[in-house]
Amino acid sequence: MAWTKADPFLNGDTTMSNTWHCCACDHRPALSEQSLSPGLPTRECVECNGHWVRLDDHREWVASGAPQAEAPELAEHWLPEADSPARACPACQRIMERLRTGGQPDIRIDRCVHCHAVWLDGGEWAALQFQQARLDDVLSDMWQRQLREAQAQERRDAQVRQRHGAECIDEVLRIRQWLQQQAEPGVVLKLIRNGW
Ligand SMILES: [Zn+2]
Ligand SMILES: [Zn+2]
């Protein structure tokens, strides 16, 4: 697939400059046309191995069945980058939003809502492949909502443990579980609270 087919500028979006911006990494190199996997065009920074990928191109690539042919491998010592400053989209220069994937490792993907594209730091594509995580899935509202809920629950858990002690909370969890197994949990709870 030729890059030009997917180039947002050539798709008639006049709000965009036809000049691609340099990568935000150290030597600010220009991005070059590449493919992330056969049949998946991207713009790559040769310096940091970051990739800008249009989500439509990714969808097309998934629909073509290409992912099944991939043999995912994760570099042994690869870790996602510690939280870096917000990144500007190299195509439109708008600040991208950063979304977690919640996997192991937990990758932070930068998404440009304007270009419907993502920026993947070097190593992130391999990590996604390794986790067999689909971009569309991990970027979906449902996935992101579940992640936020899980994060909020983790925070609540840490708070109650700090206030009441981990031992107490473990006991509460054990009793709750036991209560749920009773035929009449409401009645049993009343017995616990008020006696009989
Ligand atoms: Zn770079
Ligand atoms: Zn953009």
Side-chain angles (χ1 to χ4, degrees):
M1 192 191 318
W3 170 262
T4 46
K5 181 178 174 255
D7 195 311
F9 181 69
L10 297 178
N11 284 352
D13 187 342
T14 51
T15 60
M16 276 184 204
S17 156
N18 60 353
T19 314
W20 274 76
H21 296 272
C22 303
C23 184
C25 71
D26 282 356
H27 299 99
R28 307 191 70 78
L31 301 180
S32 55
E33 293 175 27
Q34 262 299 343
S35 46
L36 202 42
S37 286
L40 180 53
T42 63
R43 291 262 166 156
E44 184 189 16
C45 168
V46 288
E47 196 92 22
C48 64
N49 294 117
H51 284 266
W52 185 92
V53 193
R54 279 172 62 97
L55 291 169
D56 277 350
D57 287 339
H58 179 262
R59 254 166 237 141
E60 220 174 280
W61 176 76
V62 169
S64 74
Q68 281 77 37
E70 294 278 311
E73 241 177 71
L74 187 60
E76 219 176 298
H77 303 296
W78 186 84
L79 278 173
E81 252 182 57
D83 253 351
S84 48
R87 179 182 274 277
C89 172
C92 72
Q93 286 291 279
R94 286 173 173 82
I95 296 297
M96 293 189 277
E97 60 176 358
R98 188 160 289 165
L99 301 170
R100 286 176 49 191
T101 62
Q104 288 291 340
D106 192 2
I107 306 162
R108 267 89 168 149
I109 297 175
D110 292 308
R111 173 169 69 179
C112 177
V113 286
H114 181 74
C115 300
H116 302 289
V118 290
W119 176 266
L120 300 172
D121 289 328
E124 287 183 341
W125 176 246
L128 280 170
Q129 298 291 95
F130 179 76
Q131 294 171 6
Q132 300 190 322
R134 291 280 169 84
L135 268 180
D136 273 337
D137 292 340
V138 297
L139 298 176
S140 71
D141 288 347
M142 193 176 75
W143 187 287
Q144 290 298 319
R145 194 172 53 244
Q146 283 170 354
L147 263 185
R148 282 195 300 275
E149 279 164 11
Q151 257 182 311
Q153 179 60 40
E154 270 170 38
R155 278 197 300 273
R156 284 196 296 273
D157 194 61
Q159 278 166 2
V160 291
R161 280 171 190 276
Q162 196 173 17
R163 182 164 174 186
H164 303 284
E167 221 173 290
C168 167
I169 297 305
D170 284 341
E171 192 63 1
V172 169
L173 288 173
R174 191 185 65 77
I175 295 169
R176 275 192 76 190
Q177 203 181 8
W178 170 81
L179 200 58
Q180 280 157 6
Q181 288 160 2
Q182 304 309 305
E184 295 179 288
V187 177
V188 176
L189 188 59
K190 264 189 195 156
L191 290 174
I192 292 173
R193 290 176 68 175
N194 308 325
W196 52 92

